[in-house]
Amino acid sequence: MDALEILSSPITWAVTVGTLYIFYRYVTSTFNYFSDQGISGPKPMPFFGNMWGIWKSNLSEYDMSLVKKHGKVFGYYDGPQPNLWITDLELIKAIFVKDFDHFVDRRTFNFKTKIVRKWLTVVKGKEWKDIRSSVTPAFTTGKIKRMSLLIKECVEILSIRISAVAQSEGKMNAKLIYGAFTMDVIARCAFGLKIDSLGNKDDPFIKNAQFIFNPPTSKTPLILLPCSRWQNGADVVTRGDKRNCDRPVINVVTFQKSTLFLLAGFDQTATTLTNTCFQLARNPDIQEKLHETILQKLEDYVCHIFEDVCHEMVQDMPYLEQIIQEVLRFYPASLRTERMCTKDISYDHGGGRIHIKKGVLVTVPIYAVHHSEEYYPDPETFDPERWNPENKVKRNPYSFMAFGAGPRNCIGMRFAMEELKFAITALVKQFRFFPVEETPEKLRFDVGFQPALQPMNAILGIELRQPN
C-alpha cells in the first residue's frame, strides 16, 4: 500500500478526525467553567481563549471596553486558564484582604532563569512570606529617610540637566529624561553605583531594564507564550556593573532588595513623573498652586538645619500628595493586578454563588476601576481635590489600587512616593512646564500586552522660573 492509499483510507481519516476532535475537546475543556455558574464573559477561542489580538490592543482601552460590556464580574480565559475579572469593591476586599489565605499566590510561571524564579513578585506560599519578612526592613521609614539623601543628590543632577535643556531647547522628552533619572536613583540606592546616565539612552544598565519592562514580544503573538516577557535580559540585576561600585552587590536578601527597587522605582516611577508633568502643563492653575505651596513650605522649614528640599518637608505637603494620588488614579502604575486561588472558596454575589476553584486566576483591571463613573464622578477630569481629607474619607479605599491591596501590596510604595515627592517638589520649585506644539491634548499610550502604561510623544515645554 503506497502513501496515497494510506492517506485516502477511511480508517486514516477516521483516526485523524477523531484525534483532532479529542484534542479540540481537551483545549476547550475549561471553557464552560464560568457559563456553568451563570457568569457571563467574552466568548473564548480554542487555544487562545480571549487573548487573541491582545498584542495590538491599547490595554487600558481594552480593559475598559470589557468592563463596560460585561459588568463588575465576568469570566475571561488566558488561553485555557479561567480568569475571573472583578471590579466589585466588596469582592476585591474579600479576595485581597479578608480571605487572603486563599489567594496568597500570583500567576504560575515556569521560568527558565533561576534568578527570576526567586523574585518576590513571583514566589509562592511560605517562601513568599519568608522573603517578604526579610526584605521589609529595607523599606522602613528610617531607611527611606537615609536614602532620601541619595535621592536628593540624583534630583540635583536632574535639575542641572533640565536647566540646560530649558535654556538650549525649551522643551524636553520627559519620559527619556525621567527614565535616566530613576535609573540613577536605583543604581545609587540599591546597587551602590554611580552610572551618571542622565541623557544617555544607550547606557547598558538602562537598555537592559527597558528591555525587561517593554520587550518587543509585547507587540507580537509571542506574548502568548509563557514567560516570553521575562526570559531575556532578566539577569541584569545580578550582573550589576563594576563601574564606580561602592559596595558588593549580590547575596539573597540584597538580590531581592535590588530587584524590588528596580521594579518599583525605574519604569513605573519614570512614567508617573512624566504623567505628572504632563498634567501640570495642561493644568497651569494646579501647577501654580503647587508652586506656591512649595515656596510656603520652604519658608516654614528655613529655620531648621535644612536649606532646601528635605525629607521632612516633602512629607508635610498634603497638596503634593493629592496631586500624586490623582495622577496614579488617572494613570495607574500597573494596569492590572491578579491573584491565584490556592484553596477552593465561594462567594454570594448578584443573587447567585461564585465558586472559585484552586488554580483559578482572579484579576482586577485597575485602570477600569480608577476610571469608573460609579467610584469617581467625571473620571476623565484631572482633579486633585478628589483627595482632600473631606472627599477622601467618603471613598471606599478599595476603589484605589495604584499599589495593590492587602498583605501582598507593593512593598516599594514608600520608596516610590519618596522619589516622586522629591523630584516633583524640586522641579516645580525651579521650572514651569507648559504645552508646546508637539504636546498632545491627551496622552496616548503604546499598544501591546504591557503591565504599565508607556506614554507616547511626551514632549513638554520647560522654562526656568524667575526668582522672586
Side-chain angles (χ1 to χ4, degrees):
M1 183 179 292
D2 59 23
L4 183 60
E5 290 178 322
I6 294 175
L7 292 175
S8 60
S9 168
I11 296 176
T12 301
W13 280 100
V15 170
T16 301
V17 171
T19 301
L20 290 174
Y21 176 74
I22 292 171
F23 184 62
Y24 172 82
R25 289 298 301 268
Y26 173 75
V27 299
T28 61
S29 61
T30 60
F31 286 177
N32 62 345
Y33 180 81
F34 293 115
S35 59
D36 285 353
Q37 299 187 56
I39 299 172
S40 65
K43 186 176 180 179
M45 293 174 56
F47 305 106
F48 305 105
N50 299 115
M51 298 189 71
W52 183 256
I54 192 73
W55 60 88
K56 56 185 178 182
S57 299
N58 180 299
L59 210 60
S60 58
E61 295 175 0
Y62 176 84
D63 290 2
M64 288 285 290
S65 67
L66 283 175
V67 172
K68 183 176 181 180
K69 183 175 182 179
H70 299 289
K72 292 183 177 182
V73 178
F74 61 89
Y76 187 91
Y77 293 90
D78 295 2
Q81 171 76 57
N83 189 341
L84 183 70
W85 281 42
I86 59 172
T87 59
D88 180 274
L89 302 188
E90 291 305 311
L91 274 179
I92 291 173
K93 178 181 179 180
I95 289 169
F96 282 73
V97 181
K98 179 175 174 288
D99 300 314
F100 176 73
D101 62 318
H102 289 256
F103 298 93
V104 175
D105 296 341
R106 291 182 174 168
R107 181 188 301 262
T108 297
F109 287 118
N110 295 314
F111 289 110
K112 292 184 294 185
T113 307
K114 292 181 180 179
I115 294 167
V116 182
R117 288 204 297 265
K118 293 298 182 180
W119 279 9
L120 182 60
T121 52
V122 298
V123 292
K124 299 179 180 298
K126 185 177 185 303
E127 185 178 18
W128 167 78
K129 293 178 182 178
D130 292 343
I131 294 175
R132 175 96 179 198
S133 297
S134 67
V135 173
T136 296
F139 295 93
T140 62
T141 300
K143 292 284 182 63
I144 289 175
K145 182 178 179 180
R146 287 197 291 274
M147 283 187 286
S148 70
L149 299 176
L150 298 175
I151 295 173
K152 183 178 179 180
E153 291 177 9
C154 296
V155 169
E156 290 170 352
I157 297 171
L158 172 66
S159 297
I160 293 170
R161 169 65 176 163
I162 292 181
S163 179
V165 172
Q167 295 179 66
S168 62
E169 302 173 36
K171 59 185 177 182
M172 68 176 188
N173 183 328
K175 182 62 187 299
L176 178 62
I177 289 179
Y178 293 145
F181 158 70
T182 56
M183 183 53 72
D184 281 345
V185 172
I186 299 306
R188 195 166 299 202
C189 291
F191 297 94
L193 308 177
K194 297 180 181 179
I195 61 177
D196 193 23
S197 63
L198 284 172
N200 181 10
K201 65 180 183 296
D202 296 322
D203 188 285
F205 213 86
I206 289 182
K207 288 178 70 176
N208 281 319
Q210 288 174 334
F211 184 88
I212 292 174
F213 288 103
N214 190 17
T217 54
S218 68
K219 301 177 185 178
T220 73
L222 292 175
I223 196 64
L224 300 185
L225 298 177
C227 309
S228 63
R229 180 173 186 84
W230 302 97
Q231 288 303 325
N232 298 308
D235 62 340
V236 61
V237 294
T238 62
R239 291 202 310 269
D241 193 323
K242 294 182 179 179
R243 295 171 296 168
N244 303 314
C245 187
D246 293 332
R247 57 180 178 266
V249 174
I250 292 299
N251 57 42
V252 174
V253 176
T254 301
F255 161 72
Q256 287 294 339
K257 295 175 183 176
S258 301
T259 55
L260 285 167
F261 276 114
L262 181 64
L263 291 169
F266 170 53
D267 190 74
Q268 293 180 339
T269 304
T271 297
T272 301
L273 277 173
T274 301
N275 299 338
T276 301
C277 292
F278 174 83
Q279 287 293 354
L280 293 177
R282 283 292 176 194
N283 296 276
D285 53 333
I286 294 174
Q287 182 175 184
E288 293 312 306
K289 181 176 178 179
L290 177 60
H291 181 247
E292 292 171 6
T293 302
I294 292 169
L295 295 183
Q296 182 59 56
K297 285 297 177 183
L298 284 169
E299 290 184 9
D300 293 344
Y301 280 84
V302 74
C303 60
H304 291 70
I305 62 172
F306 310 106
E307 297 179 355
D308 206 341
V309 179
C310 61
H311 169 80
E312 288 78 6
M313 176 183 161
V314 298
Q315 296 303 319
D316 188 26
M317 296 180 63
Y319 191 61
L320 173 61
E321 181 105 4
Q322 290 175 216
I323 289 173
I324 294 174
Q325 288 181 308
E326 180 65 353
V327 169
L328 289 171
R329 179 199 70 82
F330 211 92
Y331 313 106
S334 297
L335 289 170
R336 301 173 180 174
T337 187
E338 62 185 24
R339 295 290 185 270
M340 177 173 282
C341 184
T342 55
K343 294 183 286 185
D344 294 2
I345 194 169
S346 298
Y347 295 101
D348 293 322
H349 184 269
R353 190 83 170 157
I354 299 174
H355 302 283
I356 306 176
K357 293 183 178 180
K358 179 180 178 180
V360 171
L361 287 171
V362 178
T363 291
V364 176
I366 298 173
Y367 187 94
V369 172
H370 286 192
H371 287 257
S372 166
E373 184 80 35
E374 178 182 352
Y375 306 143
Y376 297 95
D378 195 14
E380 301 308 314
T381 295
F382 183 82
D383 181 14
E385 293 306 320
R386 297 180 198 274
W387 301 98
N388 66 37
E390 181 181 355
N391 291 328
K392 188 174 181 179
V393 73
K394 299 175 184 176
R395 186 175 299 113
N396 188 315
Y398 297 97
S399 64
F400 182 73
M401 297 190 67
F403 296 102
R408 200 158 183 168
N409 66 350
C410 176
I411 194 172
M413 173 178 63
R414 286 189 290 181
F415 173 78
M417 289 295 289
E418 183 84 2
E419 186 178 359
L420 287 167
K421 288 177 179 180
F422 255 95
I424 294 168
T425 301
L427 294 177
V428 174
K429 172 197 167 191
Q430 300 174 70
F431 305 102
R432 179 179 290 106
F433 300 95
F434 57 90
V436 292
E437 184 178 353
E438 300 94 326
T439 307
E441 288 292 327
K442 179 180 178 181
L443 271 182
R444 298 294 299 172
F445 297 92
D446 205 358
V447 300
F449 191 66
Q450 304 175 70
L453 296 169
Q454 297 294 334
M456 302 169 62
N457 195 28
I459 307 296
L460 299 175
I462 183 77
E463 65 182 6
L464 283 163
R465 291 182 180 271
Q466 297 302 315
N468 293 333

